[in-house]
Amino acid sequence: MKNLRTHGKSTVVWLLMGLLILGLGGFGVTSFSGGSSEIGSVGETKITADEYARALQSQINEYSRQTGQPLTMAQAASIGLPQAVQAQLFTGAALEEQARRIGVSVGDERVAKTILDAAAFRGPNGKFDRTAYREVLNRQQMTEAEFEAAIRSDEARLLIQRSVAGGVVAPAPMVDLTAAWLLGTRDLAWVELDEDQLPSPVADPDEDALHAWHEANADRFTSPETRKISYVWLTPEMLTDEVQLDEAALRDAYEAQIDKYRQPERRLVSRLVFPTLEEAQQAMASIEAGEASFDTYVTQRGLTTDDVELGELTKAELDAAGDAVFALDNPGVVGPIDTALGPALFSMNAILDPVDIPFEDAREDLRAEAALDRAARMVDDLSSGFEDLLAGGATLEDMADETRMQMGQIDWVSGSPAEASGISGYEAFREMAETVTEQDFPELFQLDDGGVFALRLDEVVPPALIPFEDVRDEVEADWRAAEIHRQLLSLAEEKKVEITAARDPAPVPAASAVSRVGLPEDAPDEDEGALVETAAEPELPWTVETDMRRDGWIEDVPADVLIHAFSMKNVGAVDVVDAQQRVFLVRLDAIHQPDLSEEEALRVKEAVSARLEQSLQADLFDYYARAAQRKGGIQVNQAAINAINAQVY
């Protein structure tokens, strides 16, 4: 039932496993009650503001601990964390209300055992310490009576959860069927048909056919809405030729960036923190045995490689992990190593040699960088004058004539890719080009390299069908590609029929069914002793693939080919697959059922069974919780929720 705890308002889990492990640093405020002490209720069971605040902060801290990166409230809101915590609390309140109504409770012994076993309340000798117990509760603004009542309610809720979903077992036939579906393999053969295999070249279309194709596929030959824009701009690069730099300035720039030109040996490192030392040790053993990779455990934790990457670090910056990581001569994994966030494995992904670039070798780069930096300051100094001119009614043409700004025009199409050079490569310009109107007066805007620009929308040209004469070559190419594809599909169907006919010829009529009109009575049957001739199977350059799984792949072949092969029912069957404008014939050669008694199959069955049981348990519990909420009646104080969200950081 461990997986069901996330559905309930588990005070023990949230308070002890979350807040206390992470140091009980507080929430940044002294109280969350504000103008209301409740965020809602289910029946007579209330959810207090402090409960919500503790649960929310605990979840934020736990997420931060897993990723190794602090999580802000804004980021938490973007991934729906507050809503998830609210759902847990209201589900827990519904269970508590049910427990209250039917009289479910636990005794003092169970409450005492929970408190005595909590690691957060242990003293230096490893045993329960009442001073630590009081101190922890005081920091959370809870009395002993309140905390013990919360534990009693929590245990009662868990009793209900266990009674609702406990004992659920995944049906064995469903487990076997799912495992067989996952592990089953197939042998298949495929061949791609191309233009060279057509019986005759595709004939050139006449002009009438092309005109008709142009009209029938107008959406392919319609120009998008175009915004004709005039602009003026000035970038630091445009002024670098005017910048004068002396040797002293370059040496100052070199010293200011000494970390760039002189660096000790570094390692490119990722770190994955585990909840317990035992889990970290098990993961390391599995990695060393070749059973899993570091990335496998990253994925299992619901993280990405970006979440665990630490970047380029020196030995000193790695602290306790420095010696172990720098002892590796090649990329690898070390650990577990105790860190401030918990036991962790470190993946060393690359070795970066020391850097020692003398001033003489860096001079030209420094000159270019310093010139750009000084030119950026020149642009900044000029900007106030540009703004004054525009505010005074100067046109873009005036700006180009009277200042150092340069003028240009562009036909802007929404969504067009950024160019490597030119003003359209700047995100600031692209955003303004999308939104500027013909009524807007030119204003000065900043570019991300320190440059400035102003723009004017001159005209909006609506979408229009491009005249045939302007796109004739494109129309012909489009028609030819479509015609080749059509003929290839037709050829593939013909080949399929030929193969099927060669392998499974039509039945020969029985002698009694053959007409004998006008023949003597003693004349022999025409089919007696005769051999039935069948068409030869067409020779094709089949590529054979054996023991393919559903999650396999075939190099340079669309995934739809393998997917279709697993949808075929009969061995020997041949199908046509149209995938990504490519035409394939696919033949199913064999279907192999897995041996579910093998070690790999047993592991898969165990995983499938656990996943199905969790799913069934979750569904049962979800139905029960929904019914309990409807029966109890939910009241939500959104104003109180919003106030707490604003205070938690």
Side-chain angles (χ1 to χ4, degrees), residues 193-251:
L193 303 184
D194 56 34
E195 185 179 1
D196 293 338
Q197 294 170 274
L198 292 176
S200 60
V202 175
D204 292 333
D206 57 32
E207 292 302 299
D208 289 340
L210 291 180
H211 276 284
W213 188 260
H214 177 251
E215 294 177 2
N217 300 277
D219 58 316
R220 302 184 196 176
F221 309 109
T222 296
S223 62
E225 179 183 274
T226 303
R227 299 163 69 83
K228 293 184 176 295
I229 294 174
S230 296
Y231 63 90
V232 290
W233 66 324
L234 182 66
T235 66
E237 190 174 1
M238 297 176 185
L239 300 179
T240 53
D241 292 342
E242 302 179 23
V243 174
Q244 299 296 325
L245 296 170
D246 56 25
E247 190 76 0
L250 294 179
R251 287 195 174 275

Side-chain angles (χ1 to χ4, degrees), residues 287-354:
I287 293 172
E288 290 177 335
E291 299 172 350
S293 66
F294 182 84
D295 289 343
T296 300
Y297 287 99
V298 172
T299 303
Q300 288 179 358
R301 300 290 295 279
L303 305 174
T304 67
T305 53
D306 289 340
D307 293 330
V308 299
E309 184 176 333
L310 298 180
E312 304 173 6
L313 297 177
T314 63
K315 185 175 182 179
E317 290 171 336
L318 282 165
D319 295 328
D323 290 336
V325 170
F326 272 72
L328 294 173
D329 295 327
N330 294 292
V333 180
V334 297
I337 296 171
D338 191 27
T339 71
L341 296 173
L345 299 185
F346 288 79
S347 174
M348 192 274 283
N349 305 314
I351 298 174
L352 304 176
D353 294 330

Side-chain angles (χ1 to χ4, degrees), residues 412-453:
W412 176 259
V413 175
S414 179
S416 58
E419 298 178 359
S421 60
I423 196 168
S424 65
Y426 292 89
E427 184 63 28
F429 177 83
R430 295 168 63 82
E431 291 178 0
M432 292 306 304
E434 294 277 3
T435 58
V436 65
T437 69
E438 293 180 90
Q439 289 72 42
D440 292 335
F441 291 101
E443 297 180 50
L444 199 69
F445 298 99
Q446 192 83 24
L447 296 171
D448 56 16
D449 64 354
V452 291
F453 73 98

Side-chain angles (χ1 to χ4, degrees), residues 35-363:
S36 174
S37 62
E38 301 167 7
I39 68 162
S41 62
V42 179
E44 297 181 15
T45 302
K46 313 295 184 183
I47 304 171
T48 69
D50 285 335
E51 283 180 310
Y52 174 53
R54 280 193 294 266
L56 179 58
Q57 188 66 58
S58 177
Q59 293 294 296
I60 291 175
N61 289 346
E62 176 65 16
Y63 192 94
S64 299
R65 189 175 73 88
Q66 290 181 357
T67 61
Q69 300 291 333
L71 183 72
T72 66
M73 185 60 195
Q75 292 171 327
S78 69
I79 62 175
L81 199 60
Q83 291 80 4
V85 171
Q86 293 161 31
Q88 293 169 349
L89 288 170
F90 278 98
T91 297
L95 292 180
E96 187 174 338
E97 179 68 7
Q98 283 292 98
R100 186 191 65 78
R101 289 189 176 194
I102 61 180
V104 174
S105 185
V106 295
D108 293 340
E109 290 184 6
R110 179 61 186 170
V111 175
K113 185 177 186 306
T114 300
I115 295 174
L116 293 174
D117 290 345
F121 302 143
R122 293 174 185 169
N125 60 359
K127 297 182 179 180
F128 175 77
D129 187 292
R130 175 160 289 280
T131 300
Y133 179 51
R134 283 196 300 266
E135 181 181 348
V136 167
L137 296 186
N138 286 337
R139 295 176 65 178
Q140 297 311 307
Q141 300 181 357
M142 295 183 73
T143 66
E144 293 185 18
E146 289 173 339
F147 182 65
E148 291 163 10
I151 291 178
R152 196 182 304 277
S153 297
D154 186 66
E155 292 294 338
R157 288 193 298 271
L158 293 178
L159 284 175
I160 293 180
Q161 287 178 238
R162 296 188 185 100
S163 65
V164 170
V168 173
V169 177
M174 182 183 295
V175 173
D176 290 344
L177 186 63
T178 304
W181 187 88
L182 291 170
L183 296 174
T185 62
R186 297 194 172 195
D187 297 345
L188 62 117
W190 60 270
V191 60
E192 182 176 5
L193 303 184
D194 56 34
E195 185 179 1
D196 293 338
Q197 294 170 274
L198 292 176
S200 60
V202 175
D204 292 333
D206 57 32
E207 292 302 299
D208 289 340
L210 291 180
H211 276 284
W213 188 260
H214 177 251
E215 294 177 2
N217 300 277
D219 58 316
R220 302 184 196 176
F221 309 109
T222 296
S223 62
E225 179 183 274
T226 303
R227 299 163 69 83
K228 293 184 176 295
I229 294 174
S230 296
Y231 63 90
V232 290
W233 66 324
L234 182 66
T235 66
E237 190 174 1
M238 297 176 185
L239 300 179
T240 53
D241 292 342
E242 302 179 23
V243 174
Q244 299 296 325
L245 296 170
D246 56 25
E247 190 76 0
L250 294 179
R251 287 195 174 275
D252 289 343
Y254 177 79
E255 293 299 330
Q257 303 178 59
I258 195 63
D259 290 342
K260 175 181 176 181
Y261 298 106
R262 291 182 181 173
Q263 295 181 10
E265 186 177 358
R266 291 149 295 139
R267 297 289 191 270
L268 191 62
V269 180
S270 298
R271 177 188 63 197
L272 182 61
V273 180
F274 287 82
T276 65
L277 178 61
E278 290 74 17
E279 291 184 52
Q281 290 171 336
Q282 291 173 3
M284 188 62 195
S286 179
I287 293 172
E288 290 177 335
E291 299 172 350
S293 66
F294 182 84
D295 289 343
T296 300
Y297 287 99
V298 172
T299 303
Q300 288 179 358
R301 300 290 295 279
L303 305 174
T304 67
T305 53
D306 289 340
D307 293 330
V308 299
E309 184 176 333
L310 298 180
E312 304 173 6
L313 297 177
T314 63
K315 185 175 182 179
E317 290 171 336
L318 282 165
D319 295 328
D323 290 336
V325 170
F326 272 72
L328 294 173
D329 295 327
N330 294 292
V333 180
V334 297
I337 296 171
D338 191 27
T339 71
L341 296 173
L345 299 185
F346 288 79
S347 174
M348 192 274 283
N349 305 314
I351 298 174
L352 304 176
D353 294 330
V355 176
D356 187 6
I357 301 174
F359 170 77
E360 291 71 21
D361 293 344
R363 180 185 283 107

Side-chain angles (χ1 to χ4, degrees), residues 170 172 174-180 182-183 595-613:
M174 182 183 295
V175 173
D176 290 344
L177 186 63
T178 304
L182 291 170
L183 296 174
D595 182 355
L596 297 182
S597 63
E598 292 182 346
E599 183 178 352
E600 181 187 9
L602 293 175
R603 289 199 301 268
V604 171
K605 286 177 62 176
E606 183 179 357
V608 168
S609 179
R611 179 63 63 87
L612 288 174
E613 287 176 6

